[in-house]
Each structure stands twice: as structure tokens, then as C-alpha cells.
Amino acid sequence: MSSIPQNYSDEKALVDCVQRFLSKHHVGKLLARCNGLKEKGVSPISLLRYKLSNIFVGRSMYMQQRTGSFKEGFSKNTFYRFLNSSKRQIRRPT
């Protein structure tokens, strides 16, 4: 029995919506101003886009890797280092 949802109809539309939001609100420029960009390797904006897309689509990296549908250009370690990096965590001022 598989618990993986098979509804892919709205997935592309949601991913495009996330991409438009990031472009419209200049999130890449915001990351650059916060010293969140890299000179080489995977760009943080693509990691952020991937994470937000997974949130709204309702998928996880773990299940994508298990089913073989993970097609991104970065590894699991790169993704988790990005999420756990203290330099890029945005916190509310206290």
C-alpha cells in the first residue's frame, strides 16, 4: 500500500507561483543584502525555491529520494546545511 499522493495536476502551477513570488518580491536581492549569496556552487535562492515549493505542494525531499523523483542539482547534505546555517537564519529582533 502506498501513501504517496498521485495528484500532480496542481504541482506545476504551485511551483510556478512560488517562482513568480520570489521574482516579484526580489528575494534574491534581499538574500544578497543579507550576505546570503555564494560565489560558487548551488545558489541559496534555488534552495529556498525548492523548500517553499515542497511546502505548498505537500512533498518532502525524503520521499522524493525514495521514489526516485528527486531531480534537483544539489545533494541532501547541501540542502540541510542551507536550512541549518546560522548565517542565513532570519530571526525577529528581540
Side-chain angles (χ1 to χ4, degrees), residues 10-70:
D10 294 333
E11 183 175 341
K12 178 74 171 136
L14 287 170
V15 171
D16 289 343
C17 184
V18 168
Q19 181 62 39
R20 282 193 311 272
F21 175 83
L22 294 175
S23 296
K24 180 180 177 182
H25 295 287
H26 308 289
V27 175
K29 290 180 183 179
L30 179 63
L31 280 173
R33 290 182 64 190
C34 296
N35 198 22
L37 295 182
K38 295 170 54 176
E39 291 182 17
K40 61 181 181 177
V42 179
S43 72
I45 193 72
S46 66
L47 294 168
L48 183 63
R49 179 196 48 81
Y50 174 75
K51 180 60 179 174
L52 289 175
S53 297
N54 275 353
I55 289 170
F56 289 111
V57 172
R59 305 229 186 267
S60 70
M61 176 184 262
Y62 172 76
M63 288 308 294
Q64 286 178 342
Q65 289 178 332
R66 293 228 10 181
T67 60
S69 64
F70 181 74

Side-chain angles (χ1 to χ4, degrees), residues 66-82:
R66 293 228 10 181
T67 60
S69 64
F70 181 74
K71 308 279 190 245
E72 299 297 323
F74 50 84
S75 70
K76 172 181 75 169
N77 292 337
T78 302
F79 180 69
Y80 286 118
R81 280 189 208 116
F82 170 75

